[in-house]
Amino acid sequence: MNKEIIKNELDILFPNPKCELEYSHDYELLLSVMLSAQTTDKSVNIATKELYKKYDTLDKLNTLSIEDIKNYIKRIGFVSNKSKNFKSIVSEINKIGYVPNDREYLEKLNGVGRKTASVVLANLFNVPSFAVDTHVFRVSKRLGISNKNDDVLKTEKKLKKYFDEKDWNKINSQLVLFGRYNCTSRNPKCKNCNLISICKEKNKN
Ligand code: SF4
């Protein structure tokens, strides 16, 4: 069964998958996931390293102006919007002092959508989720879990139906890593891929 083949291969490739964003506090994860839109986790980690070290509490982060934030994150792109969102999220979270296990609350924060909320809920609270980022979106199609015309929400629904709920968070992280390092957008490593027999795009790549 394809599901078992996929699960086994992902377990071999990524036995202990984890989020590659670096954070020490719950709010840092939330901020870093928001910042990671349209860029790599690596560049977010570089941009936030000094920022989180120097401003290591919510109160301290809350003293930063949008211009201050821009100076720290200028290398990651979409800096204007991301700086405003950063300031706004810090201000909101600082009112309660922690990131709550509450999707509705999270999705109302500026710059936080369904995907960001899912990553935060899965990593902080182990809430079973599927955050469909660009890697998960692409790999799901290639592995035949979703179809060519499915949008992100439909892909999420299909992934949730395809895999057992107890496995969602682990497989989500594994699919991100598989898409990031193996089944890349351009030049995927098909020659060494053990999922080639079930792949829908093996001939294209
Ligand atoms: S065969 Fe290539 S495109 Fe298909 S899943 Fe493997 S790496 Fe991805």
Side-chain angles (χ1 to χ4, degrees), residues 103 107 114-115 118 128-133 136-137 140 145-146 150-163 168 172:
R103 178 180 287 280
E107 289 190 15
R114 183 170 180 81
K115 189 202 77 178
S118 294
S129 314
F130 251 113
V132 180
D133 71 354
V136 175
F137 191 61
S140 299
I145 299 167
S146 59
D150 290 343
D151 61 12
V152 167
L153 202 53
K154 191 129 194 226
T155 303
E156 180 185 327
K157 280 186 185 154
K158 287 192 173 176
L159 282 160
K160 285 180 168 174
K161 205 170 166 195
Y162 193 82
F163 294 107
W168 289 356
N172 195 167

Side-chain angles (χ1 to χ4, degrees), residues 139 142-143 178 182-184 188-202 205:
V139 171
R142 287 179 175 174
L143 295 179
F178 183 61
N182 300 59
C183 189
T184 46
K189 299 184 173 77
C190 302
K191 277 186 190 160
N192 300 320
C193 181
N194 288 331
L195 297 176
I196 198 161
S197 61
I198 59 172
C199 179
K200 306 284 179 207
E201 293 193 13
K202 56 179 173 277
N205 296 313

Side-chain angles (χ1 to χ4, degrees), residues 84-112:
K84 284 184 207 155
N85 290 338
F86 192 104
K87 177 78 188 156
S88 168
I89 292 171
V90 168
S91 166
E92 285 303 313
I93 297 291
N94 199 34
K95 289 177 190 166
I96 54 174
Y98 64 97
V99 177
N101 181 357
D102 183 341
R103 178 180 287 280
E104 205 180 329
Y105 170 92
L106 292 174
E107 289 190 15
K108 281 188 186 144
L109 296 170
N110 288 341
V112 177

Side-chain angles (χ1 to χ4, degrees), residues 44-75:
V44 172
N45 289 338
I46 293 169
T48 56
K49 193 177 168 84
E50 280 309 306
L51 174 61
Y52 292 162
K53 194 170 157 193
K54 192 164 174 195
Y55 299 89
D56 60 352
T57 66
L58 271 170
D59 281 335
K60 287 184 195 171
L61 275 179
N62 208 23
T63 64
L64 290 167
S65 67
I66 290 173
E67 284 309 310
D68 295 331
I69 298 162
K70 268 187 194 169
N71 280 331
Y72 279 96
I73 66 165
K74 57 190 168 203
R75 75 191 70 200

